[in-house]
Amino acid sequence: METELSKQLGIEHAIFGFTPFPEVAAAITRAGGFGVLGAVRYTAPQDLARDLDRLHDLADGKPYGLDVVMPAKKVEGVTEADVEAMIPAEHRGFVRELLARHDVPELAEGEASRWRITGWMEEVARNQLDVAFDYPVKLLANALGSPPADVIERAHDHGVLVAALAGSARHARRHAEAGIDVVVAQGYEAGGHTGEIGSMVLVPEVVEAVAPLPVLAAGGIGSGEQAAAGIALGAQGVWLGSLWLTTEEADLHSPALTAKLLAAGSGDTIRSRALTGKPARQLRTAWTDAWDDAAGPGTLPMPLQGLLVAEAVSRIQKYEVGALLGTPVGQIVGRMTSERSVRAVVDDLTRGFERAVTRMNRIAGRSTT
């Protein structure tokens, strides 16, 4: 699975794997792909440095990247405490009532929430970059569009390519105008924050909109045949996230959540604002149903929603409260039916890709085997 972009980055397969786990990112890189560590959950710079140390040590000298969440427009002087103060009492009461209804225990006294997404805060994200540029990252991806201009310039000064996710051709053109090097066309089927256009329509639109910039296809890709389809549509590789959640190297801290993922079908996800305030595809649960119910107070805009529900999500995960237990994941979850090593997943992707290419060559009359 070699393309111009994979050659530029020095990887064997044009498989880009986004994951919150350094062990998974390193395993993807070792298997010939390109592991990308998600940084949004790292509040303290030393925690990110610790996991980048681990990723670097496990990658065996092969390339890897980092994914951050930064708004394009910088907001000066806004602290996490300032944002917390904007959360209405009604919404805090709704969370308390919902947790009580499902008998979710409290965290132990003094125990900190494990689920704390503050990486979107300007100060936190910039601290992450201060750490990241001390490592030989080869790609910096941003999940909230184009990062600020000074961040793009700083990355380029370090010889780092910059990627940004796009859910429409219009968004992709903005990225190109901002100086982005790689556009990730993320379709409706994808897990996490995603738009409303399906990958089959989106990928060729984005490829045409930003040519000659390289495009990665994302959303609804969990097999080598699907990867081949993305490349046939003009992409120079595939960006996969959900597929790694049930790998042996992943550490979800919850056997019950892993079991739910393995049992879920492609129709068991929903786009909801329940976790972050922006539409994000995730497992449908009693939690998402409650927030999407018109009788409730409705979700808050990002970043308020993420701060509001952080402790609640930690409690749900810690005590594995089945009805509420969920995670961002794409429609490809229906293919995730067993726990496998990252290497086995990559091997399966490359074999499927070869089958698809052979089939198309045969149809085109280029091969009789």
Side-chain angles (χ1 to χ4, degrees), residues 213-229:
L213 287 184
V215 173
L216 298 177
I221 300 173
S223 72
E225 288 84 355
Q226 290 165 325

PDB file of all heavy atoms in Angstrom, residues 213-229:
ATOM      1  N   LEU A 213      -2.676  18.636  -3.177  1.00  0.00           N
ATOM      2  CA  LEU A 213      -2.386  18.209  -1.814  1.00  0.00           C
ATOM      3  C   LEU A 213      -2.842  16.765  -1.599  1.00  0.00           C
ATOM      4  O   LEU A 213      -3.896  16.366  -2.100  1.00  0.00           O
ATOM      5  CB  LEU A 213      -3.108  19.105  -0.797  1.00  0.00           C
ATOM      6  CG  LEU A 213      -2.590  20.515  -0.573  1.00  0.00           C
ATOM      7  CD1 LEU A 213      -3.391  21.187   0.532  1.00  0.00           C
ATOM      8  CD2 LEU A 213      -1.114  20.504  -0.218  1.00  0.00           C
ATOM      9  N   PRO A 214      -2.100  15.966  -0.843  1.00  0.00           N
ATOM     10  CA  PRO A 214      -2.529  14.602  -0.557  1.00  0.00           C
ATOM     11  C   PRO A 214      -3.725  14.573   0.381  1.00  0.00           C
ATOM     12  O   PRO A 214      -3.850  15.410   1.287  1.00  0.00           O
ATOM     13  CB  PRO A 214      -1.301  13.959   0.084  1.00  0.00           C
ATOM     14  CG  PRO A 214      -0.510  15.107   0.627  1.00  0.00           C
ATOM     15  CD  PRO A 214      -0.774  16.268  -0.283  1.00  0.00           C
ATOM     16  N   VAL A 215      -4.596  13.613   0.160  1.00  0.00           N
ATOM     17  CA  VAL A 215      -5.809  13.429   0.963  1.00  0.00           C
ATOM     18  C   VAL A 215      -5.801  12.024   1.547  1.00  0.00           C
ATOM     19  O   VAL A 215      -5.413  11.056   0.876  1.00  0.00           O
ATOM     20  CB  VAL A 215      -7.071  13.637   0.103  1.00  0.00           C
ATOM     21  CG1 VAL A 215      -8.342  13.273   0.883  1.00  0.00           C
ATOM     22  CG2 VAL A 215      -7.146  15.078  -0.394  1.00  0.00           C
ATOM     23  N   LEU A 216      -6.210  11.903   2.801  1.00  0.00           N
ATOM     24  CA  LEU A 216      -6.406  10.607   3.434  1.00  0.00           C
ATOM     25  C   LEU A 216      -7.898  10.368   3.589  1.00  0.00           C
ATOM     26  O   LEU A 216      -8.645  11.275   3.971  1.00  0.00           O
ATOM     27  CB  LEU A 216      -5.733  10.555   4.806  1.00  0.00           C
ATOM     28  CG  LEU A 216      -4.213  10.741   4.822  1.00  0.00           C
ATOM     29  CD1 LEU A 216      -3.692  10.747   6.256  1.00  0.00           C
ATOM     30  CD2 LEU A 216      -3.521   9.657   4.012  1.00  0.00           C
ATOM     31  N   ALA A 217      -8.346   9.150   3.296  1.00  0.00           N
ATOM     32  CA  ALA A 217      -9.752   8.793   3.426  1.00  0.00           C
ATOM     33  C   ALA A 217     -10.022   8.266   4.821  1.00  0.00           C
ATOM     34  O   ALA A 217      -9.273   7.428   5.336  1.00  0.00           O
ATOM     35  CB  ALA A 217     -10.127   7.748   2.384  1.00  0.00           C
ATOM     36  N   ALA A 218     -11.092   8.753   5.453  1.00  0.00           N
ATOM     37  CA  ALA A 218     -11.433   8.329   6.811  1.00  0.00           C
ATOM     38  C   ALA A 218     -12.941   8.150   6.920  1.00  0.00           C
ATOM     39  O   ALA A 218     -13.717   8.878   6.307  1.00  0.00           O
ATOM     40  CB  ALA A 218     -10.957   9.360   7.831  1.00  0.00           C
ATOM     41  N   GLY A 219     -13.344   7.175   7.720  1.00  0.00           N
ATOM     42  CA  GLY A 219     -14.761   6.938   7.953  1.00  0.00           C
ATOM     43  C   GLY A 219     -15.280   5.760   7.159  1.00  0.00           C
ATOM     44  O   GLY A 219     -15.233   5.745   5.932  1.00  0.00           O
ATOM     45  N   GLY A 220     -15.741   4.717   7.871  1.00  0.00           N
ATOM     46  CA  GLY A 220     -16.289   3.557   7.202  1.00  0.00           C
ATOM     47  C   GLY A 220     -15.243   2.652   6.599  1.00  0.00           C
ATOM     48  O   GLY A 220     -15.547   1.874   5.690  1.00  0.00           O
ATOM     49  N   ILE A 221     -14.008   2.724   7.086  1.00  0.00           N
ATOM     50  CA  ILE A 221     -12.927   1.904   6.536  1.00  0.00           C
ATOM     51  C   ILE A 221     -12.420   0.966   7.626  1.00  0.00           C
ATOM     52  O   ILE A 221     -11.888   1.404   8.644  1.00  0.00           O
ATOM     53  CB  ILE A 221     -11.775   2.775   6.003  1.00  0.00           C
ATOM     54  CG1 ILE A 221     -12.290   3.706   4.895  1.00  0.00           C
ATOM     55  CG2 ILE A 221     -10.640   1.904   5.485  1.00  0.00           C
ATOM     56  CD1 ILE A 221     -11.279   4.713   4.415  1.00  0.00           C
ATOM     57  N   GLY A 222     -12.609  -0.336   7.392  1.00  0.00           N
ATOM     58  CA  GLY A 222     -12.151  -1.315   8.361  1.00  0.00           C
ATOM     59  C   GLY A 222     -11.620  -2.567   7.712  1.00  0.00           C
ATOM     60  O   GLY A 222     -11.314  -3.533   8.395  1.00  0.00           O
ATOM     61  N   SER A 223     -11.500  -2.551   6.394  1.00  0.00           N
ATOM     62  CA  SER A 223     -10.967  -3.694   5.666  1.00  0.00           C
ATOM     63  C   SER A 223     -10.048  -3.194   4.565  1.00  0.00           C
ATOM     64  O   SER A 223     -10.092  -2.021   4.174  1.00  0.00           O
ATOM     65  CB  SER A 223     -12.099  -4.522   5.046  1.00  0.00           C
ATOM     66  OG  SER A 223     -12.683  -3.831   3.951  1.00  0.00           O
ATOM     67  N   GLY A 224      -9.226  -4.098   4.042  1.00  0.00           N
ATOM     68  CA  GLY A 224      -8.343  -3.733   2.952  1.00  0.00           C
ATOM     69  C   GLY A 224      -9.102  -3.370   1.697  1.00  0.00           C
ATOM     70  O   GLY A 224      -8.680  -2.484   0.935  1.00  0.00           O
ATOM     71  N   GLU A 225     -10.232  -4.023   1.471  1.00  0.00           N
ATOM     72  CA  GLU A 225     -11.048  -3.688   0.314  1.00  0.00           C
ATOM     73  C   GLU A 225     -11.587  -2.265   0.426  1.00  0.00           C
ATOM     74  O   GLU A 225     -11.625  -1.514  -0.558  1.00  0.00           O
ATOM     75  CB  GLU A 225     -12.203  -4.687   0.191  1.00  0.00           C
ATOM     76  CG  GLU A 225     -11.798  -6.079  -0.268  1.00  0.00           C
ATOM     77  CD  GLU A 225     -11.306  -6.967   0.874  1.00  0.00           C
ATOM     78  OE1 GLU A 225     -11.196  -6.475   2.023  1.00  0.00           O
ATOM     79  OE2 GLU A 225     -11.022  -8.155   0.616  1.00  0.00           O
ATOM     80  N   GLN A 226     -12.001  -1.874   1.620  1.00  0.00           N
ATOM     81  CA  GLN A 226     -12.484  -0.507   1.818  1.00  0.00           C
ATOM     82  C   GLN A 226     -11.349   0.500   1.689  1.00  0.00           C
ATOM     83  O   GLN A 226     -11.544   1.611   1.176  1.00  0.00           O
ATOM     84  CB  GLN A 226     -13.168  -0.399   3.178  1.00  0.00           C
ATOM     85  CG  GLN A 226     -14.497  -1.145   3.214  1.00  0.00           C
ATOM     86  CD  GLN A 226     -15.009  -1.364   4.625  1.00  0.00           C
ATOM     87  OE1 GLN A 226     -14.235  -1.572   5.562  1.00  0.00           O
ATOM     88  NE2 GLN A 226     -16.327  -1.335   4.788  1.00  0.00           N
ATOM     89  N   ALA A 227     -10.153   0.116   2.146  1.00  0.00           N
ATOM     90  CA  ALA A 227      -8.990   0.984   1.963  1.00  0.00           C
ATOM     91  C   ALA A 227      -8.688   1.171   0.485  1.00  0.00           C
ATOM     92  O   ALA A 227      -8.386   2.282   0.026  1.00  0.00           O
ATOM     93  CB  ALA A 227      -7.780   0.391   2.684  1.00  0.00           C
ATOM     94  N   ALA A 228      -8.777   0.083  -0.281  1.00  0.00           N
ATOM     95  CA  ALA A 228      -8.550   0.176  -1.721  1.00  0.00           C
ATOM     96  C   ALA A 228      -9.571   1.089  -2.374  1.00  0.00           C
ATOM     97  O   ALA A 228      -9.252   1.841  -3.304  1.00  0.00           O
ATOM     98  CB  ALA A 228      -8.605  -1.225  -2.346  1.00  0.00           C
ATOM     99  N   ALA A 229     -10.812   1.057  -1.899  1.00  0.00           N
ATOM    100  CA  ALA A 229     -11.842   1.936  -2.443  1.00  0.00           C
ATOM    101  C   ALA A 229     -11.487   3.395  -2.200  1.00  0.00           C
ATOM    102  O   ALA A 229     -11.645   4.249  -3.082  1.00  0.00           O
ATOM    103  CB  ALA A 229     -13.198   1.611  -1.820  1.00  0.00           C
TER     104      ALA A 229
END
